[in-house]
Amino acid sequence: MNAFWNTWVITLTVLFLAIMVGVILFYWQKRASSDPHRTLDTFDGIQENDGAVPKLLFIAYLISIILTLGYFVLYPGLGNWPGLMHWSSTSQATVPSQTTLEAQYQKAKLNAASPLEELSQNATIVNTGQSLFQTHCAACHGDQGQGQKHFPNLLDNYWLYGGTDQDILHSIKQGRNGVMAGWENILTSEQITHVSQYIASLEPERVVNAPEVNFELGSAIYTENCVACHGEKAQGNPILGAPNLTDNIWLHGGSIDEIKHTIRQGLNNVMPAFQSQLNSLEISAIAAYVKYENKLHIERKQSLDPELIAKGRYLALAGDCIACHTSEGGQPFGGGLGFVTPFGTLYSTNISTHPDYGIGDYTYQDFYDSLHKGKGKNGYLYPAMPYSSYQYVTEEDTRAIWTYLQSIVSVNTVNTENKMIFPSNIRLGLLAWNIAFLDTNPLEYPSYRPATWKRGKYLTMGLGHCSECHTPRNIAQALEPKKLFQGNLIDGWQAPDITAEQLYETGWNIVSLTDFLKTGHSEKGTAFGGMAEVVKNSTRHLTRQDVEAIAEYLIAGDKYNEIEPHIVPIIPPGFGDLANRPVTQTINEIDDSLNIASNTKTGIETLDIQNHEEAMYNLYAQTCGACHGPDGKGRAGIAPALLNNGIIMHKDPYDTIAVAIRGLMPSYMNRGTNFMPMSSFNTVLSDAQLAQLLTFVRNRLGGRTVIITAKDVTNVRKELEKSGYIGAIHQPME
């Protein structure tokens, strides 16, 4: 600043301060002569008196002047005066000057060609690199290098173009141009779907809902079109920047839809070259910072106890974490699965190690509070997160699960915002819900029960959280403990009554229930709907010993879940010689108004089997018999037995009706175990015909005499429509 401007700034500053002091003195003198009883003016009946200026105002002005003078003495502001602190805005710049950076390297006896391992151990250079990273790299890679969709995570050990010093420096200097051609004009939509399903199935943690033939077709398409870049084993090629497709690291999104989009449209992922903007020292400083953060991240992962990780993985499978925290076709633990409630739709959250979208910035205590108290780091959780059950998980097991989750890869999936209606969208209200409904009493383990029963209760009531689906809820969506396991309507299905009494009455035992939970199939039927997902993602991974313990607990019963002495097992009569008779009528010839009489002696409505059994069997043979067999005993690999089937025998016919209306998608337990789909009869049979058919089937194959009416079928149909499902083989309505 030249002499003129220096003098001008000082003059104006001093003049302004003098005016401030003058104003204060003027009003201070006037304050002494003021008379609060003297009226200065009157307007509309309001008097303005000669009151004194408040003393507090003078004190505030005085403090302001003192602070101003102090600032001018300590810091620059009066022309060229540097201030006693000799502060300079240059020293606060984000990017240090070249001279400063050179001095840092010289002092450390390092240079731009020094190994990144050595550079990353120098705190001064790392700090400089961090400043440069924030300026040039953070917008894409995140403030800590954690990455985001389309921009790689620099903290893990998965390097798209290689992780050597030379590779990292080359990426910063020269940039990268990751080009993948679009295949929509080469492959058909069906072929793209097949290869996407095959690629997704390469991840060890993911089970893709597709038949084995799709994977075989996808593998052939991959071999023909993708091997050149991604390699025969799909483990990528760092020279080309072709990613590894087997490690759950998805730069552009890992859901099947996102994989299909990438294959269809291709991509042109460009990282700019910085060699024209930054010199070699600055580039090596950035690389040193990246290396430093990467090393910290890897060391944290390597410090985790492998045995605790393995135990935590097993417990996370027992808790079925992946099922809820993975969207349909999405990346494991990436969240995004919707839960429709009476108060709106909730979406599960990302629980991977991503620090922005997941729980990467959670402490163990944050995680513990979420799991046990329903209190997340950013507010109270909705009880769709089953913390009312997870609160029973021991501290030791909780820490093991936490350790496992710290070991999984970071998923860069952004959380979907919940769509809750007012006032349900106010999370503070959940505190009141917890106070009113959360039972924090510990589980009771009677001393007379065997250790296997106790283990079964711990898994069932805690990690397995079976009561969350199979127990009715009140109007506030809280579980009704005195109705434990008595069934609940969820997602258009009736999670059936699994009380000890109902299981005993319908012929379940420890072996059949263990087989069902372990494989999804037993002599009592096949898992479908939400239960198929539970088996696929959870119970099939448990040891048979643990599954038997769960079965023992459910079969033996517990408090509020006991078997009444008068209950006896049902023994269905079966079709008998009806199965040997020829079909004599078509569906159209069978009268809708088959006589369904009432047994006045017992008061129980029953089907008039004697007069109409042949007509009813004709209806069964033409609708169900081809798959389930003429005797209702099923066909291996095609359809389960209906005779003694747990759902057919269940006291509530809801699921039997719902299956007939809704149909079933095939259930894929793993690459080698698939259950066939079942077509919907929504447009094949009228409600009256369905009612007659299902009453007959439940009577002969399930031993149930209670009639199903056309109105019952209509009511279930309405419930399915309300839930968004109707016909077309279990397809949600658009």
Side-chain angles (χ1 to χ4, degrees):
M1 186 182 298
N2 59 36
F4 170 79
W5 286 111
N6 180 53
T7 304
W8 178 250
V9 169
I10 293 174
T11 302
L12 286 179
T13 303
V14 172
L15 180 61
F16 176 74
L17 288 173
I19 292 172
M20 286 181 63
V21 172
V23 169
I24 292 173
L25 291 175
F26 172 78
Y27 279 102
W28 181 261
Q29 291 175 351
K30 190 174 180 182
R31 183 179 187 278
S33 62
S34 63
D35 181 5
H37 301 291
R38 183 163 59 93
T39 300
L40 298 177
D41 196 5
T42 301
F43 178 77
D44 199 18
I46 300 174
Q47 293 182 344
E48 180 185 355
N49 294 335
D50 184 17
V53 177
K55 187 181 293 185
L56 181 62
L57 185 61
F58 289 103
I59 295 173
Y61 267 116
L62 182 61
I63 292 173
S64 298
I65 292 173
I66 293 172
L67 290 175
T68 302
L69 292 172
Y71 178 87
F72 283 135
V73 171
L74 296 173
Y75 295 97
L78 281 175
N80 292 327
W81 166 249
L84 297 178
M85 299 293 292
H86 295 284
W87 182 91
S88 171
S89 60
T90 305
S91 65
Q92 304 299 307
T94 302
V95 182
S97 67
Q98 176 64 20
T99 304
T100 304
L101 190 55
E102 285 180 358
Q104 292 173 3
Y105 275 83
Q106 290 172 1
K107 183 177 180 180
K109 297 181 180 179
L110 298 169
N111 55 57
S114 298
L116 295 184
E117 181 65 31
E118 290 185 29
L119 292 173
S120 67
Q121 295 175 11
N122 186 289
T124 305
I125 293 175
V126 168
N127 288 338
T128 302
Q130 182 179 13
S131 298
L132 290 162
F133 184 91
Q134 298 301 322
T135 302
H136 299 283
C137 315
C140 294
H141 293 284
D143 58 351
Q144 293 180 318
Q146 68 269 27
Q148 56 184 313
K149 191 173 182 179
H150 307 304
F151 303 102
N153 182 347
L154 305 178
L155 300 179
D156 56 31
N157 217 18
Y158 303 92
W159 297 94
L160 199 57
Y161 291 93
T164 67
D165 290 7
Q166 184 179 358
D167 294 329
I168 296 172
L169 290 168
H170 178 86
S171 294
I172 301 172
K173 288 179 183 178
Q174 306 293 332
R176 298 291 186 179
N177 190 3
V179 178
M180 172 180 166
W183 293 83
E184 65 178 345
N185 295 323
I186 301 172
L187 301 177
T188 66
S189 178
E190 188 176 32
Q191 287 175 318
I192 290 174
T193 296
H194 291 161
V195 74
S196 298
Q197 291 171 337
Y198 167 71
I199 290 171
S201 74
L202 297 176
E203 293 180 39
E205 295 287 348
R206 189 188 297 202
V207 177
V208 179
N209 286 324
E212 182 65 25
V213 64
N214 284 23
F215 301 126
E216 293 173 358
L217 292 171
S219 176
I221 296 167
Y222 175 88
T223 301
E224 182 178 351
N225 299 282
C226 313
V227 164
C229 292
H230 293 281
E232 186 176 346
K233 296 183 179 180
Q235 293 184 349
N237 185 341
I239 296 175
L240 300 175
N244 184 338
L245 303 177
T246 67
D247 56 13
N248 197 29
I249 307 293
W250 296 95
L251 189 59
H252 305 283
S255 71
I256 291 179
D257 285 342
E258 288 170 318
I259 296 172
K260 287 163 64 176
H261 177 81
T262 300
I263 295 173
R264 187 181 298 113
Q265 302 296 329
L267 53 89
N268 187 4
N269 212 42
V270 177
M271 173 180 170
F274 284 95
Q275 62 181 353
S276 61
Q277 302 177 44
L278 303 172
N279 59 46
S280 59
L281 292 180
E282 291 171 324
I283 288 173
S284 65
I286 292 175
Y289 169 68
V290 171
K291 188 75 173 181
Y292 171 79
E293 290 289 354
N294 176 265
K295 184 170 62 174
L296 282 182
H297 182 80
I298 299 302
E299 286 175 352
R300 280 196 295 269
K301 293 257 182 160
Q302 291 175 343
S303 69
L304 300 174
D305 183 349
E307 291 185 4
L308 206 56
I309 291 174
K311 179 181 179 181
R313 180 180 183 275
Y314 180 83
L315 294 169
L317 288 168
D320 207 13
C321 305
I322 198 170
C324 289
H325 289 279
T326 304
S327 63
E328 183 68 31
Q331 286 180 259
F333 301 111
L337 185 66
F339 295 86
V340 179
T341 76
F343 310 110
T345 302
L346 295 168
Y347 293 91
S348 62
T349 56
N350 184 331
I351 58 169
S352 75
T353 52
H354 198 286
D356 293 333
Y357 311 138
I359 59 173
D361 64 341
Y362 270 45
T363 64
Y364 170 71
Q365 190 60 48
D366 293 331
F367 178 73
Y368 182 92
D369 289 345
S370 297
L371 206 65
H372 288 253
K373 302 176 183 178
K375 185 179 180 182
K377 187 170 183 177
N378 300 311
Y380 288 94
L381 305 178
Y382 289 97
M385 160 68 177
Y387 57 85
S388 55
S389 295
Y390 287 159
Q391 64 174 321
Y392 302 126
V393 179
T394 65
E395 200 280 334
E396 179 184 346
D397 285 354
T398 302
R399 189 168 290 278
I401 296 170
W402 164 251
T403 303
Y404 165 65
L405 291 177
Q406 292 300 294
S407 74
I408 65 176
V409 300
S410 173
V411 178
N412 58 15
T413 301
V414 180
N415 288 313
T416 304
E417 187 176 350
N418 295 324
K419 299 175 182 176
M420 302 296 285
I421 61 175
F422 179 83
S424 309
N425 57 347
I426 301 175
R427 291 204 178 228
L428 188 59
L430 295 169
L431 174 60
W433 190 96
N434 288 342
I435 294 172
F437 301 112
L438 184 60
D439 181 3
T440 57
N441 292 318
L443 293 177
E444 296 178 4
Y445 296 96
S447 58
Y448 66 88
R449 293 289 191 179
T452 50
W453 182 94
K454 294 176 182 177
R455 173 67 174 172
K457 180 171 184 176
Y458 174 70
L459 291 171
T460 302
M461 299 299 294
L463 285 169
H465 61 279
C466 305
S467 61
E468 301 288 338
C469 288
H470 289 275
T471 299
R473 293 178 180 269
N474 61 24
I475 193 171
Q477 294 300 292
L479 298 177
E480 299 184 51
K482 292 187 178 180
K483 296 182 179 180
L484 183 68
F485 297 141
Q486 291 183 18
N488 182 42
L489 192 63
I490 180 170
D491 192 27
W493 293 117
Q494 179 75 21
D497 184 327
I498 56 170
T499 57
E501 183 172 285
Q502 182 66 198
L503 293 174
Y504 175 70
E505 184 181 39
T506 54
W508 288 88
N509 55 44
I510 292 178
V511 174
S512 60
L513 188 52
T514 299
D515 288 343
F516 180 83
L517 295 174
K518 186 66 179 168
T519 67
H521 182 74
S522 80
E523 62 182 19
K524 298 298 294 179
T526 298
F528 60 86
M531 194 62 211
E533 295 298 308
V534 171
V535 175
K536 178 176 69 177
N537 294 302
S538 179
T539 55
R540 75 183 178 95
H541 298 284
L542 304 185
T543 64
R544 189 167 184 89
Q545 184 179 12
D546 272 348
V547 178
E548 284 178 347
I550 293 172
E552 179 182 342
Y553 170 71
L554 291 173
I555 294 293
D558 194 4
K559 186 179 180 181
Y560 302 129
N561 181 20
E562 298 165 336
I563 303 174
E564 294 293 331
H566 67 276
I567 299 297
V568 296
I570 297 172
I571 302 177
F575 286 142
D577 64 348
L578 280 174
N580 300 320
R581 298 181 189 179
V583 175
T584 58
Q585 292 176 296
T586 66
I587 293 177
N588 293 331
E589 292 172 337
I590 298 172
D591 184 8
D592 281 359
S593 59
L594 284 170
N595 181 36
I596 298 176
S598 175
N599 186 331
T600 55
K601 291 182 180 180
T602 62
I604 300 175
E605 291 181 310
T606 58
L607 183 67
D608 188 352
I609 299 294
Q610 185 67 33
N611 294 324
H612 300 292
E613 62 178 10
E614 187 167 341
M616 295 309 306
Y617 182 77
N618 281 336
L619 187 58
Y620 167 84
Q622 294 176 74
T623 53
C624 314
C627 294
H628 294 284
D631 53 6
K633 294 181 180 180
R635 296 184 187 276
I638 297 177
L642 299 182
L643 180 64
N644 291 311
N645 187 289
I647 294 299
I648 299 296
M649 297 178 71
H650 198 275
K651 63 182 179 181
D652 188 341
Y654 181 95
D655 277 344
T656 302
I657 300 170
V659 167
I661 296 174
R662 182 172 173 172
L664 288 174
M665 285 289 283
S667 298
Y668 302 101
M669 294 295 112
N670 52 52
R671 288 281 296 268
T673 306
N674 303 329
F675 300 131
M676 297 294 288
M678 173 179 160
S679 298
S680 163
F681 288 97
N682 180 46
T683 58
V684 178
L685 300 176
S686 67
D687 286 2
Q689 287 175 320
L690 269 178
Q692 294 154 7
L693 171 63
L694 298 180
T695 299
F696 173 70
V697 168
R698 276 170 49 85
N699 179 274
R700 283 307 190 99
L701 304 182
R704 291 292 183 181
T705 57
V706 177
I707 199 169
I708 297 173
T709 67
K711 185 177 180 180
D712 293 331
V713 176
T714 302
N715 289 339
V716 173
R717 185 189 303 279
K718 289 179 179 178
E719 185 62 42
L720 291 176
E721 289 174 349
K722 186 171 68 175
S723 300
Y725 292 91
I726 190 73
I729 313 185
H730 187 164
Q731 291 297 316
M733 297 174 66
E734 296 296 335

